[in-house]
Amino acid sequence: MTAHAYTTDILRLAASLGEPRELDSVHGQAELRSPTCGSVIRLTVELDDHRRVKCLSQAVQACAFGQASAALMEQGVTGMGHKDAADALLALSAWLSGARDDPGEWPGLDVLEPARSRSGRHGAILLPFRTLLAALEDAK
């Protein structure tokens, strides 16, 4: 087994992660830390009139798998609501654990396939979705 499973696609996604930015309005925010790996994400979210994500900003301190997951979450989040985020987290978690054969409907998550056999990376991969869900639950 190689020392890491970072594919070119994972590294490219990790590098594509945007810098945190000011939002016009902050409706919800959360900061979560993965107890398994120490990754930290601080996320703020702005919602539309239907309580769906209009835009978000996140500061991510994570391995390349966590950064890639955060980039995929960010790329697919516009127009998503609480149920979408909860469904994505459940599907991704079940896929990583081997309980399902695909990562669900969130676009692009199958690129994280190399991490499925590395349970120590699962916390970092799930963290962006957990943080999104916490920020949506915090939304006023």
Side-chain angles (χ1 to χ4, degrees), residues 48-122:
D48 65 18
D49 294 338
H50 301 287
R51 301 194 53 76
R52 296 192 167 278
V53 176
K54 182 175 178 183
C55 56
L56 65 75
S57 175
Q58 59 181 342
V60 179
Q61 296 173 312
C63 65
F65 282 122
Q67 291 175 38
S69 179
L72 288 166
M73 184 275 295
E74 187 173 283
Q75 291 170 11
V77 75
T78 302
M80 299 291 187
H82 184 275
K83 183 178 181 335
D84 302 307
D87 289 349
L89 178 59
L90 286 173
L92 180 58
S93 181
W95 179 64
L96 289 172
S97 72
R100 68 180 284 159
D101 294 330
D102 65 81
E105 296 181 24
W106 201 279
L109 290 176
D110 54 336
V111 77
L112 300 171
E113 172 76 33
R116 288 183 77 192
S117 64
R118 299 168 181 275
S119 60
R121 302 295 187 185
H122 293 182

Side-chain angles (χ1 to χ4, degrees), residues 2-54:
T2 59
H4 60 76
Y6 296 149
T7 64
T8 302
D9 288 337
I10 289 168
L11 295 173
R12 188 177 294 120
L13 277 167
S16 76
L17 194 57
E19 291 292 318
R21 59 192 167 88
E22 290 285 323
L23 302 180
D24 291 338
S25 297
V26 173
H27 295 119
Q29 56 190 348
E31 179 176 331
L32 295 181
R33 179 182 180 278
S34 172
T36 58
C37 65
S39 296
V40 177
I41 296 182
R42 287 177 302 284
L43 187 146
T44 55
V45 65
E46 181 178 344
L47 304 179
D48 65 18
D49 294 338
H50 301 287
R51 301 194 53 76
R52 296 192 167 278
V53 176
K54 182 175 178 183

